[in-house]
Amino acid sequence: MPAPAHAYAPAAPLPRRPQAVVFDMDGTLLDTEAVHRVTMQAAADALGHHLPDALFLELVGVHRDANTVRLLEHFGADFPIDLFYGDSDARFEAMWRAGVPLRPGARETLAWLAARALPMAIATSTLSPFAEDRLRHAGLLDFFAVVVTRSDVTRPKPNGQAFMLAAERLGLDPRDCIAVEDSPNGLRAAAAAGMMALLVPDLVPPSDDAATLAHAILPDLAAVCALIDAAPFAS
């Protein structure tokens, strides 16, 4: 579900020129959330249950431990969650290995940033080595100086630890970094880290607090480049 048109108001200029860009992965660069929807709904169907779109959207951008709690709330404590995840993960593995779909403009955006020597990092809720495998398979891994995964942190999104660790590994203050996210949960993490947070919505429309947390809500990744290009250099 796309964000409403009014969410894409002209963005205010960035307060300073960023020294790095930290991207979420799923739904931001890789079009994997749509694949997750297909595989999770198919796995639920195979168990005789229906996973509605509204429930799936609650799971987007949320780590698996929290999603498990939500699924058991919905389906009941006797729902075979391990069988569900096993089937869903196997279906997902087969689909993404057949070809990782990219979000529109992902490769062009990364190439644009690389040409301007802006360091890039990943901060994802996906575990290692799965995150690196997907980026490598998509031909994107070499763009990133740093990859922070769920395996690197004790406090997952919406906590800002992943973004703060990415900045630390880049040797930068989080305030000098842009974070690019697609989900409300990820946006909360980016804002908590103190980064200049940009939201490019994928399946989940902006939440009620998005306008407060995000520096800008943008229609696509190309708009990220335009915003950076217009950012002021330090005087």
Side-chain angles (χ1 to χ4, degrees):
M1 180 186 300
H6 66 77
Y8 304 128
L14 292 170
R16 55 197 170 278
R17 199 162 190 86
Q19 296 183 33
V21 184
V22 184
F23 289 91
D24 171 54
M25 185 180 75
D26 293 294
T28 299
L29 295 175
L30 304 185
D31 197 13
T32 41
E33 297 297 5
V35 179
H36 275 300
R37 175 160 57 184
V38 170
T39 59
M40 292 179 77
Q41 289 179 336
D45 288 344
L47 292 169
H49 294 269
H50 172 62
L51 198 165
D53 280 349
L55 175 58
F56 172 78
L57 293 179
E58 291 183 38
L59 311 179
V60 173
V62 181
H63 60 94
R64 180 161 290 192
D65 291 346
N67 282 345
T68 296
V69 172
R70 182 67 188 96
L71 287 167
L72 292 177
E73 286 175 351
H74 179 81
F75 291 124
D78 60 346
F79 180 69
I81 193 72
D82 291 338
L83 287 176
F84 167 78
Y85 280 134
D87 186 15
S88 176
D89 289 348
R91 293 171 187 267
F92 183 84
E93 180 83 3
M95 288 187 71
W96 79 256
R97 287 199 179 279
V100 179
L102 301 182
R103 296 288 299 142
R107 193 179 304 278
E108 294 81 2
T109 295
L110 298 180
W112 187 91
L113 293 169
R116 286 152 183 80
L118 266 174
M120 288 174 274
I122 289 286
T124 177
S125 294
T126 297
L127 292 165
S128 183
F130 305 111
E132 294 90 342
D133 285 348
R134 291 175 199 169
L135 290 167
R136 186 179 297 108
H137 197 69
L140 302 183
L141 184 60
D142 289 344
F143 281 110
F144 300 101
V146 167
V147 176
V148 175
T149 75
R150 175 67 179 89
S151 305
D152 296 309
V153 298
T154 56
R155 300 183 300 279
K157 300 175 185 180
N159 189 282
Q161 185 182 17
F163 284 105
M164 289 186 285
L165 182 57
E168 178 183 329
R169 290 181 176 177
L170 288 167
L172 296 171
D173 189 317
R175 294 173 295 180
D176 292 325
C177 300
I178 277 178
V180 184
E181 270 283 357
D182 71 289
S183 71
N185 209 50
L187 174 61
R188 294 181 188 108
M195 293 189 177
M196 294 176 275
L198 305 180
L199 182 67
V200 182
D202 178 24
L203 298 181
V204 184
S207 55
D208 291 341
D209 60 356
T212 301
L213 297 175
H215 177 82
I217 301 172
L218 302 173
D220 51 40
L221 290 170
V224 174
C225 298
L227 201 59
I228 293 172
D229 203 32
F233 286 94
S235 56

